[in-house]
Amino acid sequence: MSVLEEPLKTSVGDRTAKAMAEHLDLHTAGDLLHHYPRRYAERGELTRLADLEIDEHVTVVAQVEKAAMLGTGRGRRLEVVITDGSGRLTLVFFGRGAYHPQKELLPGRRALFAGKVTVFNRKRQLAHPDYKPLSGKDGAGADAEADEWAGKLLPLYPACRQLASWQLQQAVDTVLDGLEATGWEGVADPLPAALRAERGLVPLREALLKVHRPKTKADLWAARDRLKWDEAFVLQVALARRRHADGQLPAVPRVAAAGGLLADFDARLPFTLTEGQQRVSADIFADLATDHPMHRLLQGEVGSGKTLVALRAMLAVVDAGGQAAMLAPTEVLAQQHHRSITEMMGELAEAGLLGGAEHGTKVELLTGSSGAAARRKALLDLATGEAGIVVGTHALIEDKVHFHDLGLVVVDEQHRFGVEQRDALRAKGNRGDDKRTPHLLVMTATPIPRTVAMTVFGDLETSVLDQLPAGRSPIASHVVPAADKPHFLSRAWERVREEVEGGHQAYVVCPRIGDSAEETEPTGGKSGKGAKGGKGAKEAPSPEDEAERRPPLAVLDVAAQLSAAPGAPLAGLKVEVLHGRMQPDAKDDVMRRFAAGEVDVLVATTVIEVGVNVPNATVMVIMDADRFGVSQLHQLRGRVGRGAAAGLCLLVTEMPEGTPARTRLDAVAATQDGFRLSRIDLEQRREGDVLGQAQSGARSSLRMLTVIDDEDVIAEARDAAAAIVAEDPELTAYPELRGALASLLDDEREQFLDKG
């Protein structure tokens, strides 16, 4: 076992090790050394107290401005005001806990303070913070400790209530001192020496020392450069090995027959494929023609024609004697795909029926709510091969589903599936002793930055559709500040009525359903719109606090408010609701009637986020838009403007101007470029949401690397990893790198990469 894999309790003690494991997910010496400082304070630098956020656990460097013992008896408390030049913060110590700080926290004393920022009487404060004095006892003039840390970079670690930053620093020092004493025996360097020399990277031991004990900023940059390369390179090696292994798997080449089903389908298309659709289709057909399985990610803007590209791939496989299965995340979306595919194919989807085309096939739908008769028919047609295409939900994965010759699996909106589900469907292509793997096409309408595609989907070849087909109309987007300007919201409902009177339809999207099965929403929230603080409240909540505390608006409530009461904004219009808790038949009926124009306004949850295609819908109002993410808002917006008429998206919010949530909405309203929005989205989220945890359930391995800023490092690491794996797939000549891979890829992560 490597020294870095030793349990933390051997170096920092049981109590500290337990706290680190429970609250920071740190278990080994290596985990701790890779828990890097989030920033560094310099002597003379004052942390900006003005930037602290409420409810954040913080560590600050500041100076005591004044201190006073207030109250009497049991109500005695010590109030200390600290400053950093940008603002002030109050520290409060109660009861017996006040006596020791009273002696140490004298005016002029500089110290580290750690705690959770709260508000009392409209003032930010830290109650009973941990602290560590940094100045001399008299607090005047030069302090004794200043000489020790003058000019040094003081590491400040991501901490928690149980462990302050300096406690983590002490633990890191203990581990580093132990390694120094043994000459770093047992610590292998995973980067090949030639690669380190070529990139001018420092050895691992030097990088770890410099990141935790930097003497200069140059030390820090050298450490960061090296540690970023470690993270990028080891991950890319894992993905390169996955790609190499995939290339060794056997698959049946699938080449469309000349003059067959695909040719007939193309001939009946009433439009010309975009240049992007033609290019991506050519890449897919080339992959399908090889004797190893295709692994391709198809990403594109909402409405860019991904479904058409996927259908042409499925038809090519059917032409070649195989079958294709499309896996959709919801019944609504599966039904929508089945409907649009059969409509596009026409008589080509009616094999065996009167009027069916000569080169036709059957297109089946299989979901959890499929009736017994329809289910038996679908299962029989799949087992005999009569059905060339099946669209379904998780029901496709059930043991009773057997294919005659499954050649292609298409996964729509892949982020909604676990890798096990995709793997289970692909396994149905293994017939008896024939272990040939079906080709795989993964689709997403969420634009993914190139760096994320190289990391999260690094084992897939990526195709991008960035052109909208002819006939798609632009979508105007506007933020509607309901709290600041209520008349804007009134005007929004007028615009909906105007669109309906003009022969069009509208969506209204809400975050909640609003039925009795739901929670009554966030702790401390008040029911009803615009709830105010009750009697006895010490302070009036800010507009931002009110907006956050109010329960999100609900479909059932909003639908009733819009149409049920006399004089309601949309009274007289045909308003229906759609949400995920409705019975499948009821959901399908509502969507069918909305698509047929029998419903004017559909009030829905995000069940309409993907796949729903109603060209006559021209306006969407998103209530509590600040409760949705950037990419989700972009997805939702793509449901309108799908026909000849221009689209309109109104983002309703009660968040005040200048808040992060409002800024996010302004960004969505300002551009229709999904790739630009995806970068904004990623910048606002931690990489852990994108890597590791989001897919595999494991903690993200990225500590130093940021996928949005380090594109060059990731791209170079990908090339270097590919070269090494091509030369030595088993890494026989690189035992240290093999060890790093084993550490990165525990069983769970290995299975994730293997199945993904």
Side-chain angles (χ1 to χ4, degrees), residues 180-265:
E180 291 275 79
T182 63
W184 292 75
E185 185 180 348
V187 178
D189 196 321
L191 283 193
L195 184 60
R196 288 204 312 270
E198 180 186 344
R199 302 287 171 183
L201 301 172
V202 299
L204 177 61
R205 57 179 287 182
E206 186 178 334
L208 290 173
L209 281 170
K210 286 182 173 179
V211 78
H212 292 292
R213 297 172 174 174
K215 294 179 180 177
T216 65
K217 288 188 176 179
D219 283 352
L220 186 54
W221 292 121
R224 284 176 168 169
D225 286 347
R226 165 59 206 263
L227 296 170
K228 283 183 179 183
W229 251 92
D230 272 20
E231 292 177 1
F233 181 70
V234 174
L235 181 59
Q236 290 300 331
V237 167
L239 293 168
R241 294 185 75 197
R242 180 70 266 148
R243 289 194 302 274
H244 177 83
D246 289 340
Q248 310 307 306
L249 293 174
V252 178
R254 311 284 181 172
V255 180
L261 180 57
L262 177 60
D264 285 357
F265 174 77

Side-chain angles (χ1 to χ4, degrees), residues 133-154:
L134 293 175
S135 57
K137 291 182 179 180
D138 59 5
D143 51 12
E145 201 171 357
D147 292 337
E148 185 179 332
W149 60 274
K152 286 185 180 179
L153 292 166
L154 183 68

Side-chain angles (χ1 to χ4, degrees), residues 10-53:
T10 62
S11 52
V12 301
D14 289 345
R15 184 175 177 181
T16 302
K18 183 179 179 183
M20 288 182 175
E22 290 180 356
H23 302 288
L24 295 173
D25 200 17
L26 305 176
H27 304 274
T28 66
D31 289 342
L32 180 60
L33 292 185
H34 290 299
H35 186 72
Y36 307 128
R38 60 185 172 87
R39 63 186 181 84
Y40 300 81
E42 298 176 69
R43 189 181 187 282
E45 175 193 5
L46 293 173
T47 307
R48 285 183 55 84
L49 295 179
D51 295 337
L52 299 183
E53 295 185 11

Side-chain angles (χ1 to χ4, degrees), residues 173-186:
D173 284 342
T174 299
V175 173
L176 287 176
D177 288 345
L179 289 170
E180 291 275 79
T182 63
W184 292 75
E185 185 180 348

Side-chain angles (χ1 to χ4, degrees), residues 520-526 548-549:
T520 53
E521 283 313 306
T523 305
K526 297 182 182 295
E548 286 181 346
R549 293 172 187 170

Side-chain angles (χ1 to χ4, degrees), residues 143-172:
D143 51 12
E145 201 171 357
D147 292 337
E148 185 179 332
W149 60 274
K152 286 185 180 179
L153 292 166
L154 183 68
L156 299 176
Y157 290 86
C160 60
R161 185 170 60 85
Q162 293 77 11
L163 291 164
S165 173
W166 60 81
Q167 291 173 291
L168 289 163
Q169 183 183 0
Q170 288 172 349
V172 168

Side-chain angles (χ1 to χ4, degrees), residues 473-486:
S473 302
I475 304 170
S477 301
H478 303 282
V479 176
V480 178
D484 300 344
K485 300 176 180 177

